[in-house]
Amino acid sequence: MTSPAARAHDALTALLALAIVPDPAGRHRRTADFADYVPHQQRADAVMRRLAPALSMASAGSGLLAAATQARREPAAAAWRAASAAAVAAAVALTVRVHVPFNRQLRTWTPGREVPGWREGRARWERAHQVRRALVVAAGAAVLAARG
């Protein structure tokens, strides 16, 4: 029988993956000119800066709780849950280090006034986003492995 913490971890990690992994606007975001890029990213940031931290912390926390409750009777499942929480924590650390500072700058930009170096910033943001997506996929895979 699956514990309530494990069920919560399953659901929260699935929601996090649905929020982060699909990237329908990715191509546009990577190729847009400054005037298109800025308002698009400002809108996305307005949503994600509220949604992603809550989902990330809930996923990582429920994963640790599920790992702790399963540690004695299902050590392998507990290890997978801990690995999932660690992958989410790594995604959060990456977000705080790369995405948050860039997004703060981006909030001050005006679409009609191109900022020097914005393409380099976008490229760094994109590379980090690909790693973040991979970490969330790894977290989801670990959840599936924990379910056996």
Side-chain angles (χ1 to χ4, degrees):
M1 177 138 97
T2 307
S3 73
R7 286 193 300 276
H9 184 229
D10 294 350
L12 290 163
T13 304
L15 286 173
L16 179 63
L18 286 172
I20 301 292
V21 176
D23 197 7
R27 185 168 189 265
H28 175 264
R29 189 182 58 240
R30 289 185 297 274
T31 59
D33 65 8
F34 188 81
D36 257 355
Y37 176 73
V38 171
H40 167 49
Q41 279 302 98
Q42 287 173 339
R43 284 190 304 274
D45 175 56
V47 172
M48 294 306 288
R49 75 174 178 255
R50 289 172 178 82
L51 177 66
L55 277 177
S56 297
M57 293 298 105
S59 172
S62 63
L64 291 174
L65 181 60
T69 60
Q70 291 179 307
R72 285 198 175 182
R73 68 185 193 312
E74 297 178 83
W80 283 115
R81 298 243 178 234
S84 176
V88 171
V92 169
L94 177 68
T95 299
V96 168
R97 175 130 171 93
V98 178
H99 297 105
V100 170
F102 183 78
N103 290 344
R104 279 192 188 124
Q105 285 181 325
L106 186 125
R107 284 180 221 144
T108 68
W109 295 349
T110 304
R113 293 187 166 165
E114 191 165 316
V115 174
W118 76 273
R119 281 187 176 83
E120 294 79 10
R122 173 176 66 181
R124 182 171 189 239
W125 191 99
E126 288 293 336
R127 286 189 303 272
H129 183 57
Q130 296 307 315
V131 173
R132 175 174 55 188
R133 290 172 71 210
L135 287 164
V136 172
V137 167
V143 164
L144 291 175
R147 293 175 55 101

